[in-house]
C-alpha cells in the first residue's frame, strides 16, 4: 500500500535511507536541509521500507538518513495513529510533533506557523550616507498551520528583510533574554574559504547558503519555548514596514551592558557559580576547536581539489595518445573520459561539504552566545556582590556614627579630627541619610539576589537545553559528513572501476 | 631483501611443466590449457612462437594476432603453445669484496630445449653480466630489436644503489629484459644467451666483451651512408616513436604531479584528524563519535600513504623504463636505415661501374648480398615491430590497470573505514539504546 506524506524536519537534522520504519512511527513536521536547499520530501511506503523522494524530480535520495526519526521513535514511546495521505495533519500528528520538536514545553510559534526564507534578491538603494549601494533582501514567508490543516492551501504571507534587520532582531533578543543562548546568524562575511569558493558576499552560492542559514535562525528562534513568544519576533515575521520603529521603541539598545562593565565584572567577581565558570571555559574551547577545524578543513578541501583536477590531465593525454594507436585507441579514449569525469566530480562533492562547514560554523558562533550567557551571570553576580559590600560598608558607617568609634578610615573622620567634631544635629542628619541608604541598599541586595538566582535558574535550564541540542546536532553533522565521505569513496571506486574496464579493453 | 613472487608461469598443453612447482612460487595459480589451441605456423626463419610468461608474443600473421589478443588477460596465461624456455630473475643479494660491493641476482632457467644440456639451471649474475649479454646479442643480431636494460649508471650521491627500492626496481627490469629475450624466436636461441643462463662463470668472457664492444653494432649505427628513399612504413614507425615518447613524458609528469598533490593533501589530512581528537577531550557524549571520526581519518591517511608509495614504486619506474625501450627501437630503425643506405650506395657504385664496362650484365655479388641484407633486416624489423607493439600494449594495459587497481584499493579502504564508523556515530549512551536495523 502506497501512502504519501509531507514531512518537515527541524533544523540541524538530517535523514538517510536504509532503515525500516513502521508507518505509524513516522513523525511529521520534519524539514530536511539537504544540499544547501530546503526541500520538501515525500515519504512513500512500500511494505515497511521507507523511500524518500525529492518532491520535484521524484528521484530517490540515497544520501538521506533516518536516524533522527529512529531516535524519536525511541524517545516518543507513545502510540500514534497512522498518518493519512496528502498534506493534512491531524491533531495527534501535531501532538507527535510536539514531542519531537526540540523544545519540550510550552507552545512555540513554529507549531502555529510555518516559516521559511524562500528567496533572495538583489536591490539597490541609498544607504545612511546617501550613497548608492547594492544589497540582498530575503523573502520571509509565513503561513498559519491551522489554515493548512483545514485542507486549504493558502498563499503564504511574505515580506522582504535584509541581513542587517536580522542583526537588529538578534541584538534585541540578546538584550531582552540574556539568560538564553540565542541562536546565531549565519556569518556576515565569508570566512574559512578554500580557494575555489568565493569570498564575495554577492556570490550566488554564498547568498544561497546565507538564505538557508537565516531560515535556520528563524526556525530555531521560533521553536524556542521562551524566544518564540516574543512579540517583536512576531512583528519581524509579519510587519514589513513599521517593525524597525517598533523595535527601537523598546529601547533595547540602551539596556545593553557596556563592554567595559562586563569585562571588569569578569575580572573582579569573587564567587561566580562554578558551573558557569566551567561552561565558560567550555565555550572558549568549543570556539577555538571549531575555528581550528574549519580552517584545516578548508585547507584539506583545497588540496583534495588539486588532486582531483590534475587527473583531468590524464583525460587530455589519453585522448591525444589514443589518436596514435590502432587497437589501443578506443580503450584509451574511453578511459580518458572517465578521468575527466573523475576530475569534474570534485566540484559537487566539495560544494556539498560546505553544508558540513556551515553546521560547524553555527556552533562556532553558538559558542560565543554561550559565553555571553556565562558572562552575564558574572555581571549579575558581581553587581550583587558590589551591592552587598556597599550595604555592609554603609552599615559599618552607621555603627561608627552611632557609637562614635572610628573603625573605618574616612576623610570625613580625619577632617572632623582636624577641624573639630560635628554638631549633634549634623550627626543626626547623617545617620538618617545612612538609614535611608541602608534601607535602599537592602532592597537592592534583595532584588539583586533574586535577579541573580532567577538568572542562574533560567540560564542553567537553557544551557542544558543547548547542550542536548548541540550533542544532537553535531552528531547528525558527523553522520552527514561520514555519509558524504562514503558517497565520495563509492564514486571513486565507480570511476576507477570504469577506467579499469577500459584499460582491459585496450 | 624481498623475494618477489614472479609472474605466473604459462602452461604448456603438452608437457607436464604446469605441474612443476616453480622453485620460488609460493602461490602458484593452477593453469589449465585452453582447448582451442591453434598451431600457429611461423614465417620463414622463425621457430614456433612461444608464449611468454606474462609478456605474450605476437606472431606476424594477422589472424592469429587478433585471436591471441582476444584471449589475452592480465597475468592469465595462454593456452598450450609450445613453450620450452622459462627464465626468472630474483633473490637479489649483496656481495662485499675487498675491491667493491655489488648486487647479484639469481637467474633460474627451466627448459626442454636440446640446445641446453640440463633442464634446469640456477646461476648468479650481476648487472655487468646482463650488460655483457646485451652487447653480445646486439653484435650477433644487429638487425633485431634487443630489449633494453635498466639504466647502468646511477649517481652515487643521489641514489642509494643498495636501497631495497632501487634494487627491487632494477630486479624487475632485469627480469623483464630476460623474459623478453627468452620469448624472442631468434634471440632466445642465441649461444650467448645459452652461456649466460647456464655457465657457472662468465668472467672469462669479460675480456672478449670489451673487445667486441667496438664491433659490428657500431658500424651499423654510425654508418656513414646517406639514405635516399625510406619506405613509408618505417618512416611511420619513426614518427610514431617520437610522438609516443612525448606522450609518455607527459604521463610521467602528470603522475609525478599527482603524487605531489597527494602528498600535500596528506600533510593537511594529518593535521585534520587530531583536531577531532582534541575536541573529543572537551566533550562528554560526543567524545566517542569525535574519536571515531579521528581514527577514521587516520586510516584514510595511511591508505593514501600506501597509494602514493605504490604509484611511486610500481608506476613511475615502469613508465620510465619504457622510454629506454623506445630508444632501443629507434636504434634498430636507424640501423635499418644505414643498411639500406649502404645498399643504395653500393648499387649506385655498381651501376657506375656497369656503365664503364658495358659488357657486364651481372649484378655484383656484394651488391646482391647487401640487397639480401636489406630484405632480411626489413623482415626482421617488421616482425620485431609487431612484437614490440604487442608487448607495449600488454605492458601498458597492465600498468594502467595496476594504477586503477591501486586507486580502487585506496577508495575501498577509506570506504570500509567510514562505513565502520557510522554505527559508532549512531550509537548513543547505554541509557538510550535503540535497536536499529539496516
Amino acid at each position: 500500500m502506497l501512502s504519501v506524506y509531507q514531512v518537515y524536519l527541524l533544523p540541524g537534522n538530517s535523514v538517510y535511507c536504509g532503515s525500516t520504519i513502521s508507518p505509524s512511527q513516522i513523525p511529521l513536521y520534519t524539514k530536511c536541509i539537504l544540499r544547501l536547499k530546503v526541500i520538501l520530501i515525500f515519504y512513500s511506503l512500500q511494505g515497511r521500507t521507507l523511500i524518500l523522494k525529492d518532491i520535484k524530480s521524484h528521484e530517490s535520495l540515497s544520501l538521506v538518513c533516518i536516524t533522527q526519526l529512529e531516535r524519536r521513535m525511541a524517545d516518543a514511546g507513545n502510540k500514534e495513529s497512522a498518518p493519512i495521505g496528502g498534506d493534512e495533519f491531524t491533531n495527534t500528528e501535531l501532538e507527535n510533533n510536539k514531542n519531537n520538536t526540540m523544545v519540550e514545553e510550552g507552545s512555540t510559534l513554529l507549531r502555529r506557523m510555518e516559516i521559511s526564507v524562500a528567496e533572495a534578491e538583489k536591490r539597490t538603494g541609498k544607504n545612511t550616507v546617501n550613497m548608492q549601494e547594492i544589497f540582498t533582501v530575503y523573502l520571509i514567508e509565513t503561513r498559519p498551520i491551522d489554515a493548512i490543516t483545514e485542507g486549504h492551501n493558502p498563499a503564504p504571507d511574505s515580506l522582504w528583510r535584509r541581513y542587517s534587520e536580522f542583526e537588529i532582531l538578534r541584538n534585541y533578543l540578546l538584550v531582552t533574554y540574556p539568560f538564553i543562548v540565542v541562536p546565531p546568524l549565519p556569518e556576515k562575511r565569508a570566512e574559512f574559504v578554500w580557494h575555489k569558493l568565493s569570498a564575495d558576499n554577492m556570490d550566488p552560492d554564498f547568498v544561497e547558503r546565507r538564505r538557508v542559514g537565516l531560515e535556520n535562525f528563524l526556525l530555531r528562534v521560533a521553536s524556542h519555548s521562551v524566544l518564540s513568544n516574543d512579540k517583536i519576533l512576531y512583528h519581524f515575521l509579519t510587519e514589513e514596514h513599521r517593525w524597525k520603529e517598533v523595535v527601537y521603541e523598546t529601547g533595547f539598545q540602551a539596556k545593553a551592558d557596556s563592554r567595559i562593565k562586563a569585562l571588569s565584572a569578569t575580572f573582579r567577581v569573587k564567587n561566580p557559580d562554578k558551573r558557569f565558570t566551567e561552561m565558560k571555559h567550555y565555550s572558549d574551547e568549543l570556539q577555538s576547536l571549531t575555528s581550528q577545524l574549519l580552517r584545516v578543513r578548508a585547507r584539506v578541501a583545497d588540496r583534495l581539489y588539486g588532486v582531483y583536477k590534475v587527473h583531468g590531465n590524464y583525460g587530455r593525454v589519453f585522448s591525444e595518445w589514443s589518436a596514435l594507436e590502432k587497437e589501443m585507441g578506443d580503450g584509451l579514449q574511453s578511459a580518458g573520459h572517465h578521468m575527466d569525469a573523475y576530475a569534474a566530480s570534485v566540484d559537487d562533492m566539495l560544494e556539498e561539504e560546505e553544508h558540513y562547514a556551515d553546521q560547524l560554523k553555527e556552533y562556532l558562533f553558538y559558542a560565543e552566545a554561550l559565553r555571553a550567557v556565562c558572562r552575564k551571570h558574572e555581571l549579575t553576580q558581581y553587581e550583587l556582590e558590589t551591592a552587598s559590600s556597599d550595604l555592609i560598608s554603609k552599615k559599618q558607617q552607621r555603627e561608627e556614627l552611632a557609637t562614635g568609634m572610628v573603625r573605618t578610615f574616612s576623610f570625613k573622620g580625619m577632617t572632623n579630627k582636624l577641624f573639630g567634631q560635628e554638631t549633634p544635629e549634623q550627626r543626626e542628619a547623617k545617620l538618617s541619610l545612612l538609614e535611608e541608604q541602608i534601607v535602599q541598599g537592602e532592597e537592592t541586595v534583595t532584588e539583586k539576589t533574586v535577579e541573580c538566582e532567577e538568572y542562574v535558574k533560567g540560564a542553567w535550564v537553557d544551557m542544558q537545553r543547548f547542550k542536548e541540542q548541540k550533542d544532537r546536532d553535531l552528531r547528525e553533522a558527523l553522520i552527514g559528513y561520514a555519509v558524504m565521505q562514503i558517497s565520495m569513496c563509492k564514486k571513486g571506486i565507480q570511476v576507477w572501476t570504469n577506467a579499469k574496464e577500459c584499460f582491459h579493453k585496450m | 631483501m624481498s623475494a618477489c613472487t614472479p609472474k605466473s608461469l604459462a602452461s604448456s598443453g603438452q608437457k607436464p611443466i604446469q605441474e612443476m612447482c616453480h622453485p620460488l612460487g609460493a602461490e602458484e595459480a593452477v593453469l589449465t590449457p585452453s582447448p582451442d589451441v591453434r598451431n600457429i605456423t611461423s614465417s620463414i626463419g622463425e621457430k614456433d612462437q612461444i608464449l611468454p610468461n606474462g609478456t605474450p608474443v605476437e606472431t606476424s600473421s594477422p589472424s592469429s594476432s587478433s585471436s591471441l589478443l582476444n584471449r589475452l588477460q592480465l597475468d592469465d596465461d595462454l593456452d598450450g603453445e609450445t613453450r620450452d624456455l622459462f627464465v626468472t630473475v630474483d633473490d637479489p643479494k649483496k656481495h662485499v669484496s675487498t675491491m667493491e660491493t655489488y648486487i647479484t641476482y639469481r637467474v633460474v632457467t627451466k627448459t626442454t630445449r636440446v640446445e641446453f644440456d640440463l633442464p634446469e639451471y640456477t646461476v648468479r649474475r650481476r648487472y655487468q653480466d646482463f650488460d655483457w649479454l646485451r652487447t653480445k646479442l646486439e653484435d650477433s643480431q644487429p638487425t633485431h630489436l634487443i630489449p633494453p636494460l635498466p639504466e647502468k649508471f646511477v649517481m652515487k650521491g643521489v641514489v642509494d644503489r643498495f636501497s631495497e627500492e632501487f634494487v627491487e626496481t632494477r630486479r624487475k627490469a632485469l627480469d623483464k629484459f630476460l623474459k623478453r629475450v627468452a620469448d624472442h624466436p631468434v634471440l632466445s636461441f642465441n649461444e650467448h644467451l645459452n652461456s649466460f643462463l647456464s655457465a657457472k662463470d662468465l668472467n672469462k668472457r669479460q675480456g672478449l666483451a670489451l673487445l667486441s664492444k667496438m664491433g659490428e653494432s657500431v658500424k651499423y649505427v654510425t654508418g656513414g651512408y646517406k639514405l635516399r628513399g625510406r619506405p613509408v612504413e618505417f618512416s611511420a614507425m619513426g614518427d610514431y616513436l617520437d610522438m609516443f615518447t612525448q606522450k609518455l613524458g607527459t604521463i610521467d609528469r602528470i603522475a609525478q604531479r599527482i603524487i605531489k598533490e597527494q602528498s600535500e593533501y596528506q600533510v593537511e589530512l594529518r593535521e585534520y584528524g587530531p583536531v577531532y581528537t582534541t575536541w573529543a577531550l572537551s566533550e562528554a557524549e560526543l567524545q566517542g563519535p569525535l574519536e571515531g571520526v579521528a581514527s577514521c581519518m587516520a586510516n584514510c591517511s595511511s591508505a593514501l600513504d600506501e597509494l602514493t608509495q605504490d604509484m611511486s614504486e610500481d608506476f613511475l619506474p615502469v613508465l620510465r623504463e619504457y622510454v629506454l625501450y623506445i630508444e632501443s627501437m629507434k636504434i634498430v630503425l636507424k640501423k635499418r636505415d644505414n643498411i639500406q643506405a649502404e645498399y643504395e650506395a653500393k648499387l649506385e657504385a655498381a651501376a657506375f661501374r656497369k656503365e664503364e664496362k658495358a659488357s657486364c650484365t651481372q649484378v655484383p655479388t656484394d651488391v646482391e648480398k647487401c640487397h639480401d641484407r636489406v630484405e632480411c633486416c626489413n623482415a626482421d624489423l617488421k616482425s620485431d615491430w609487431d612484437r614490440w607493439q604487442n608487448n607495449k600494449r600488454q605492458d601498458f594495459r597492465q600498468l594502467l590497470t595496476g594504477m586503477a587497481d591501486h586507486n580502487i584499493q585506496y577508495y575501498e579502504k577509506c570506504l570500509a573505514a567510514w562505513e565502520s564508523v557510522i554505527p559508532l556515530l549512531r550509537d548513543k549512551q547505554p541509557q538510550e539504546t535503540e535497536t536499529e536495523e539496516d
Side-chain angles (χ1 to χ4, degrees):
Chain A
M1 188 187 82
L2 229 92
S3 316
V4 172
Y5 310 88
Q6 190 173 15
V7 291
Y8 289 99
L9 191 81
L10 284 175
N13 301 323
S14 56
V15 271
Y16 60 92
C17 71
S19 312
T20 51
I21 298 181
S22 75
S24 60
Q25 287 167 318
I26 308 164
L28 297 174
Y29 244 108
T30 41
K31 193 182 239 169
C32 181
I33 299 175
L34 199 69
R35 282 177 162 270
L36 312 180
K37 288 189 169 61
V38 177
I39 54 179
L40 293 177
I41 301 179
F42 280 123
Y43 283 40
S44 76
L45 267 132
Q46 284 175 325
R48 293 175 66 87
T49 314
L50 208 64
I51 302 168
L52 301 178
K53 296 188 182 201
D54 184 343
I55 189 176
K56 288 183 192 128
S57 65
H58 291 280
E59 59 174 44
S60 301
L61 302 165
S62 60
L63 252 194
V64 173
C65 304
I66 319 183
T67 42
Q68 190 63 24
L69 301 176
E70 290 173 347
R71 188 177 307 123
R72 286 170 174 181
M73 258 165 34
D75 287 345
N78 37 336
K79 302 283 172 230
E80 292 96 35
S81 62
I84 42 184
D87 42 6
E88 299 171 36
F89 301 97
T90 63
N91 283 331
T92 25
E93 281 137 30
L94 286 178
E95 265 303 306
N96 192 9
N97 178 55
K98 180 183 167 181
N99 288 330
N100 294 328
T101 57
M102 296 190 303
V103 183
E104 284 74 40
E105 7 160 313
S107 109
T108 68
L109 184 60
L110 195 60
R111 296 202 41 243
R112 293 178 274 121
M113 180 193 257
E114 191 186 291
I115 305 171
S116 73
V117 177
E119 281 167 43
E121 252 183 39
K122 285 209 184 43
R123 295 272 168 87
T124 53
K126 292 250 160 89
N127 65 6
T128 43
V129 289
N130 220 23
M131 307 236 323
Q132 276 290 95
E133 61 167 2
I134 307 174
F135 54 90
T136 314
V137 287
Y138 300 87
L139 184 68
I140 302 179
E141 285 184 347
T142 52
R143 241 182 354 172
I145 299 291
D146 318 336
I148 304 170
T149 52
E150 282 153 27
H152 309 145
N153 207 355
D157 298 319
S158 62
L159 44 79
W160 294 93
R161 292 257 183 249
R162 46 186 298 194
Y163 185 85
S164 53
E165 293 176 270
F166 280 84
E167 280 184 305
I168 295 170
L169 173 66
R170 184 164 190 270
N171 288 337
Y172 161 78
L173 291 172
L174 281 170
V175 169
T176 315
Y177 305 93
F179 60 101
I180 299 285
V181 183
V182 177
L185 287 172
E187 55 188 353
K188 193 164 179 129
R189 263 165 283 280
E191 278 178 55
F192 305 110
V193 166
W194 59 278
H195 93 275
K196 207 221 161 198
L197 223 51
S198 175
D200 175 18
N201 281 9
M202 288 292 154
D203 180 74
D205 282 334
F206 178 78
V207 168
E208 173 60 15
R209 293 213 314 279
R210 185 183 260 193
R211 184 193 64 74
V212 173
L214 290 173
E215 183 178 281
N216 192 38
F217 167 75
L218 287 180
L219 291 175
R220 284 207 195 272
V221 171
S223 62
H224 192 281
S225 57
V226 173
L227 298 176
S228 65
N229 294 314
D230 190 279
K231 288 287 172 288
I232 297 289
L233 170 70
Y234 188 79
H235 283 306
F236 181 86
L237 296 169
T238 51
E239 301 265 347
E240 182 154 10
H241 301 289
R242 279 257 318 152
W243 176 78
K244 257 201 197 153
E245 291 152 41
V246 174
V247 76
Y248 284 139
E249 271 166 23
T250 63
F252 77 92
Q253 287 159 318
K255 293 189 211 151
D257 297 320
S258 84
R259 285 254 163 106
I260 302 171
K261 214 168 61 160
L263 200 60
S264 78
T266 304
F267 286 130
R268 290 152 143 199
V269 69
K270 298 203 182 87
N271 263 337
D273 187 317
K274 287 243 165 11
R275 303 173 296 176
F276 282 69
T277 316
E278 269 171 34
M279 200 54 106
K280 195 172 79 155
H281 285 151
Y282 172 75
S283 76
D284 287 336
E285 295 271 314
L286 186 66
Q287 187 171 36
S288 115
L289 286 161
T290 44
S291 135
Q292 195 184 357
L293 202 60
L294 283 162
R295 243 178 298 122
V296 182
R297 190 211 71 91
R299 292 206 302 264
V300 167
D302 237 339
R303 289 298 172 201
L304 189 67
Y305 184 78
V307 170
Y308 271 77
K309 284 302 174 189
V310 178
H311 280 84
N313 293 332
Y314 273 144
R316 201 163 1 116
V317 75
F318 285 169
S319 183
E320 289 168 10
W321 180 11
S322 73
L324 300 175
E325 300 287 344
K326 290 176 216 122
E327 297 124 341
M328 279 167 66
D330 287 336
L332 269 178
Q333 179 88 303
S334 322
H337 290 150
H338 289 301
M339 290 291 102
D340 284 332
Y342 181 72
S345 70
V346 75
D347 293 296
D348 279 346
M349 292 193 293
L350 286 178
E351 191 192 291
E352 228 176 282
E353 222 182 82
E354 281 308 307
H355 176 51
Y356 175 68
D358 284 339
Q359 288 172 299
L360 290 177
K361 275 180 208 171
E362 193 189 12
Y363 277 91
L364 170 66
F365 303 141
Y366 250 129
E368 208 178 303
L370 183 63
R371 188 189 312 121
V373 170
C374 297
R375 290 175 70 172
K376 178 70 177 178
H377 161 72
E378 287 171 348
L379 183 59
T380 50
Q381 175 71 11
Y382 177 67
E383 284 174 353
L384 170 61
E385 287 171 4
T386 313
S388 302
S389 67
D390 269 351
L391 181 63
I392 291 172
S393 91
K394 288 267 183 307
K395 283 185 175 167
Q396 267 182 341
Q397 281 180 32
R398 180 183 59 181
E399 208 189 301
E400 281 157 27
L401 263 184
T403 60
M405 276 164 48
V406 182
R407 263 190 245 256
T408 57
F409 175 80
S410 71
F411 269 120
K412 229 25 198 308
M414 287 312 297
T415 51
N416 279 344
K417 285 237 157 74
L418 290 170
F419 300 112
Q421 294 275 0
E422 36 187 19
T423 64
E425 293 84 24
Q426 281 173 326
R427 221 204 296 165
E428 275 309 315
K430 249 191 247 164
L431 254 175
S432 54
L433 181 63
L434 266 177
E435 288 290 350
E436 264 180 53
Q437 285 174 341
I438 286 171
V439 167
Q440 262 177 22
E442 275 170 348
E443 269 177 40
T444 312
V445 166
T446 315
E447 262 177 48
K448 289 284 175 193
T449 310
V450 168
E451 194 184 309
C452 206
E453 277 172 12
E454 277 186 11
Y455 183 86
V456 164
K457 212 163 64 169
W460 187 248
V461 165
D462 200 59
M463 291 201 295
Q464 292 304 108
R465 176 205 63 80
F466 168 74
K467 178 182 174 301
E468 278 166 34
Q469 175 200 299
K470 173 209 74 171
D471 286 340
R472 238 186 354 245
D473 289 348
L474 288 176
R475 186 185 285 266
E476 289 296 330
L478 290 174
I479 293 174
Y481 185 68
V483 168
M484 270 188 259
Q485 298 301 309
I486 288 171
S487 158
M488 190 167 96
C489 290
K490 284 187 174 160
K491 284 195 189 122
I493 291 173
Q494 185 66 58
V495 163
W496 282 104
T497 308
N498 290 343
K500 181 175 167 179
E501 271 170 40
C502 295
F503 292 140
H504 252 311
K505 293 196 196 121
M506 257 164 60
Chain B
M1 290 290 188
S2 54
C4 294
T5 331
K7 297 176 193 170
S8 44
L9 299 176
S11 64
S12 159
Q14 296 158 21
K15 306 281 175 180
I17 270 180
Q18 71 205 65
E19 270 127 67
M20 259 165 74
C21 234
H22 191 280
L24 297 172
E27 316 111 13
E28 200 73 46
V30 176
L31 308 165
T32 54
S34 118
D36 57 331
V37 173
R38 279 226 239 158
N39 251 321
I40 297 164
T41 53
S42 50
S43 51
I44 300 164
E46 294 177 329
K47 306 267 174 140
D48 273 343
Q49 296 304 307
I50 48 173
L51 298 168
N53 14 355
T55 48
V57 169
E58 260 298 278
T59 67
S60 38
S61 79
S63 56
S64 59
S65 313
S66 49
S67 76
L68 271 175
L69 287 168
N70 287 340
R71 282 178 283 152
L72 281 178
Q73 278 177 52
L74 279 177
D75 284 5
D76 277 5
D77 280 289
L78 299 180
D79 43 78
E81 282 292 331
T82 315
R83 300 194 57 196
D84 52 8
L85 179 64
F86 302 88
V87 295
T88 321
V89 178
D90 56 26
D91 191 32
K93 274 202 170 57
K94 201 193 253 187
H95 290 256
V96 184
S97 74
T98 42
M99 293 288 285
E100 51 178 350
T101 310
Y102 57 90
I103 306 267
T104 62
Y105 305 84
R106 181 173 73 163
V107 178
V108 179
T109 311
K110 286 190 190 164
T111 180
T112 54
R113 288 191 184 176
V114 294
E115 291 83 3
F116 290 85
D117 297 330
L118 300 172
E120 256 190 76
Y121 292 96
T122 304
V123 294
R124 287 234 142 232
R125 297 281 181 250
R126 55 186 290 193
Y127 182 92
Q128 266 181 26
D129 304 330
F130 284 85
D131 198 29
W132 170 87
L133 172 64
R134 187 169 196 280
T135 312
K136 280 291 183 213
L137 289 173
E138 267 194 326
D139 292 345
S140 47
Q141 307 282 359
T143 58
H144 277 294
L145 166 67
I146 319 292
L149 282 174
E151 288 289 352
K152 183 174 196 143
F153 297 110
V154 283
M155 291 180 9
K156 289 220 173 125
V158 177
V159 180
D160 178 12
R161 289 181 302 140
F162 302 108
S163 76
E164 210 175 295
E165 222 179 282
F166 177 78
V167 170
E168 177 55 20
T169 307
R170 204 176 232 203
R171 182 205 67 77
K172 281 190 196 151
L174 292 173
D175 181 80
K176 201 158 212 177
F177 163 76
L178 214 53
K179 282 184 160 81
R180 280 174 178 155
V181 171
D183 293 338
H184 196 284
V186 175
L187 296 178
S188 63
F189 286 92
N190 187 287
E191 51 164 352
H192 301 291
L193 177 68
N194 196 314
S195 314
F196 179 88
L197 294 176
S198 56
K200 275 294 158 214
D201 250 329
L202 280 181
N203 282 340
K204 293 182 187 117
R205 311 194 188 221
Q206 291 289 31
L208 286 172
L210 287 167
L211 286 173
S212 70
K213 222 178 151 85
M214 299 300 285
E216 302 212 329
S217 59
V218 178
K219 175 182 168 196
Y220 285 117
V221 176
T222 61
Y225 301 102
K226 224 172 150 191
L227 183 68
R228 297 290 168 73
R230 188 193 290 123
V232 172
E233 55 187 324
F234 298 116
S235 291
M237 287 180 191
D239 289 338
Y240 171 83
L241 289 176
D242 286 333
M243 291 192 285
F244 186 46
T245 309
Q246 220 185 33
K247 297 304 161 223
L248 282 191
T250 310
I251 293 177
D252 185 291
R253 276 193 299 280
I254 296 172
Q256 278 186 68
R257 176 88 187 274
I258 288 177
I259 287 173
K260 177 165 163 284
E261 295 282 342
Q262 277 172 346
S263 305
E264 289 178 353
Y265 172 57
Q266 179 76 293
V267 165
E268 301 298 348
L269 212 57
R270 287 222 171 93
E271 205 187 307
Y272 191 34
V275 180
Y276 285 97
T277 311
T278 315
W279 188 0
L281 298 171
S282 300
E283 295 287 342
E285 201 187 299
L286 286 177
Q287 189 175 37
L290 287 168
E291 280 176 350
V293 170
S295 85
C296 199
M297 287 185 174
N299 288 342
C300 292
S301 190
S302 60
L304 184 62
D305 246 340
E306 283 172 38
L307 173 66
T308 314
Q309 208 175 16
D310 286 341
M311 288 301 282
S312 295
E313 282 174 13
D314 291 347
F315 190 78
L316 285 177
V318 175
L319 205 63
R320 281 165 193 165
E321 182 235 82
Y322 235 86
V323 176
L324 295 175
Y325 208 3
I326 293 174
E327 284 308 308
S328 312
M329 198 60 187
K330 278 190 182 161
I331 289 175
V332 173
L333 280 174
K334 200 156 183 197
K335 282 192 205 168
R336 190 218 69 84
D337 281 352
N338 284 319
I339 290 174
Q340 183 178 333
E342 186 187 347
Y343 166 65
E344 283 172 355
K346 290 209 167 127
L347 192 63
E348 214 180 287
F352 246 13
R353 285 199 295 276
K354 212 173 151 192
E355 283 170 17
E356 286 168 13
K357 299 184 201 170
S359 55
C360 192
T361 45
Q362 267 183 336
V363 182
T365 36
D366 69 329
V367 176
E368 277 219 25
K369 268 200 199 141
C370 245
H371 179 78
D372 285 342
R373 205 184 291 140
V374 170
E375 293 296 311
C376 208
C377 189
N378 287 352
D380 284 346
L381 197 147
K382 272 193 226 168
S383 81
D384 276 352
W385 174 262
D386 288 338
R387 191 172 300 113
W388 183 87
Q389 280 286 12
N390 261 293
N391 281 353
K392 174 206 77 181
R393 188 171 163 176
Q394 282 310 299
D395 290 341
F396 275 94
R397 185 191 297 188
Q398 190 172 26
L399 187 70
L400 292 170
T401 313
M403 170 170 91
D405 267 332
H406 286 314
N407 276 281
I408 291 172
Q409 277 162 32
Y410 161 71
Y411 278 114
E412 281 179 344
K413 283 178 203 153
C414 290
L415 179 67
W418 284 108
E419 279 183 335
S420 73
V421 101
I422 292 257
L424 172 72
L425 292 176
R426 288 163 72 172
D427 212 35
K428 286 183 82 172
Q429 308 279 344
Q431 304 98 280
E432 301 177 77
T433 41
E434 0 172 7
T435 49
E436 305 171 291
E437 287 165 9
D438 270 302

